Amino acid sequence: MLGAILGDIAGSKLEFADNRKKPEVLFTEDSFATDDTLMTVASFKAAFSKDAGGTSLEELFLRETIRAVLLHPDAGWGLRFLSWIREIVEENGITIHNAGSMEGIRYRPNGSAGNGSAMRMSPIPYLSSSLEECKALTRRITGVTHDHPDSYRAAECVATSIYLALEGKGREGIRKNILSYYPEVKGMTYEALNSEYRYTELARDTVPQAMACFLESKDFEDALSMAVSIGGDADTLGAITGGLAEAFYGWTEEEAGRIWLWLIPFQGKRPRYVVEEGPLRQFLALAHAKFPGKFPEAPGL
C-alpha cells in the first residue's frame, strides 16, 4: 500500500503535464497525495474490517469512499465519480458526521470502465489468505464503483500480480500472470510508451502500461520514474506500478527510514505528505508481522 501511495505522490504534479522525462527527484515540496491515496486507504480499511460487525465488505468500502470524498472534496476526483457519490449522499441524507456509521445505503454501481478500479487494489493481496480470496475480494470491491468488465479485469490483474510478488514469484511468473490478462504487454517497451502513449483514464489503457513499466524496471524508484514519464495519468500510473514494485522489490532499511518520515508522524515531526495516519499504522503493523523481510520495522510504530 505504501508503494501505491508513494507512486501517487510522485505522479501528482505530473498528471496533466504530458511529461516524457524521468524526474530527477521523485518527491518534492510540490508533490501531494491525491484521490488515489485516499481510495487505497479506503480499500485497506474496508478489507481489514471485513469480518467485523456483520457489515458487508461492499458497504464498508462504500462508507469509506463516501467519507473520503466528503472530507477531501478537492483531492482530484473524476467529475463523473464525484457526481455519482453526490447522488448517493443526497439520496441517503449522508453527512460527514454519519458517513462512517450509516447502514443500508442505497446506491447503483456506476458502470465505470475507469482506471480508478485498479489504483486502489494494493492492500487486498496483503489481506488475502489465498489467490482465490484475493480475486473474490477484488471483484467485490471493484463492483461497488466500477461495474464494468474492463474494470474487473484491470483490478484483478493488479491484485493477483501483487499477490504473486508477495508469495515470492519471480519476474517471469508475474509476467505470465500479467499476459494472461493483457497479452499486448508482451510487445510494450518503456521507450515506445515514452514516445507514443497518450493520456487516458480508461482502465484497459492504463493497467497494461503500468505493468510494462514494472516489468522493465530495475528497482522501486526506477519503476516509479518510468510510470510517471510516459505522458499519461501519472498519479494513477504511479500508484498501480508502485503497489506492485513495492511487493516485488521490498524495502531496504535506509529506504524504509525515509519513507516512514514522509508518511507518518515521528518524534513530534509532521509528515511531509499527510494521509490518514491510523489506517497507515494498522497496515504497517499488519504487513510487518506477516512479511517481516519486506517491511523493516518503522521507528516508533
Side-chain angles (χ1 to χ4, degrees):
M1 184 168 87
L2 286 177
I5 291 171
L6 290 169
D8 171 42
I9 292 169
S12 59
K13 60 186 181 298
L14 302 172
E15 182 176 6
F16 302 110
D18 193 31
N19 177 58
R20 307 283 169 168
K21 182 180 179 181
K22 290 184 178 181
E24 294 181 6
V25 179
L26 282 170
F27 311 105
T28 72
E29 296 298 328
D30 296 328
S31 304
F32 54 95
T34 79
D35 58 315
D36 295 48
T37 288
L38 295 171
M39 292 303 291
T40 298
V41 172
S43 293
F44 169 73
K45 291 175 72 176
F48 186 78
S49 304
K50 65 182 183 299
D51 298 320
T55 305
S56 71
L57 173 65
E58 290 83 352
E59 185 151 325
L60 287 169
F61 178 65
L62 183 58
R63 283 187 201 170
E64 293 299 334
T65 298
I66 293 170
R67 180 176 176 275
V69 172
L70 293 178
L71 288 174
H72 309 278
D74 300 319
W77 309 98
L79 293 179
R80 178 180 174 182
F81 181 81
L82 199 58
S83 175
W84 177 74
I85 289 292
R86 285 172 174 165
E87 287 180 6
I88 296 173
V89 167
E90 291 174 5
E91 181 179 351
N92 290 273
I94 298 172
T95 68
I96 290 176
H97 303 292
N98 66 13
S101 59
M102 282 200 69
E103 297 182 2
I105 299 174
R106 298 181 299 277
Y107 75 100
R108 294 167 296 280
N110 67 5
S112 173
N115 56 26
S117 61
M119 51 77 163
R120 66 200 190 197
M121 282 300 132
S122 59
I124 304 307
Y126 293 90
L127 298 166
S128 300
S129 59
S130 67
L131 186 61
E132 290 69 28
E133 184 182 22
C134 180
K135 290 179 179 180
L137 293 177
T138 297
R139 186 169 185 84
R140 290 175 66 186
I141 281 184
T142 301
V144 174
T145 58
H146 290 68
D147 189 20
H148 188 283
D150 287 352
S151 295
Y152 287 120
R153 179 171 63 153
E156 189 172 294
C157 177
V158 172
T160 56
S161 295
I162 293 173
Y163 184 90
L164 293 175
L166 292 173
E167 290 293 300
K169 287 287 185 182
R171 195 183 302 265
E172 289 309 309
I174 297 170
R175 184 193 305 273
K176 183 178 179 181
N177 183 66
I178 292 168
L179 293 178
S180 71
Y181 293 93
Y182 297 105
E184 63 267 33
V185 172
K186 186 175 183 179
M188 289 183 181
T189 65
Y190 170 73
E191 182 179 5
L193 291 171
N194 180 258
S195 63
E196 300 169 3
Y197 183 61
R198 294 292 179 266
Y199 184 94
T200 177
E201 294 180 354
L202 292 175
R204 69 185 181 196
D205 296 322
T206 304
V207 170
Q209 290 74 16
M211 298 292 101
C213 288
F214 161 74
L215 290 171
E216 201 170 321
S217 65
K218 301 188 293 293
D219 54 38
F220 176 74
E221 292 193 6
D222 186 46
L224 291 195
S225 293
M226 285 195 283
V228 304
S229 62
I230 59 174
D233 190 356
D235 59 334
T236 299
L237 284 160
I240 295 169
T241 306
L244 178 53
E246 171 194 28
F248 184 76
Y249 293 114
W251 308 110
T252 66
E253 292 286 348
E254 188 274 334
E255 287 173 331
R258 286 188 289 115
I259 288 161
W260 308 154
L261 293 178
W262 288 337
L263 293 175
I264 61 176
F266 177 57
Q267 293 183 345
K269 295 181 180 178
R270 183 175 175 82
R272 182 184 298 181
Y273 307 110
V274 178
V275 292
E276 295 190 65
E277 181 193 355
L280 276 177
R281 286 184 177 272
Q282 287 178 324
F283 174 81
L284 286 170
L286 177 70
H288 180 262
K290 189 171 183 180
F291 304 102
K294 291 184 178 293
F295 291 84
E297 189 167 0
L301 177 60

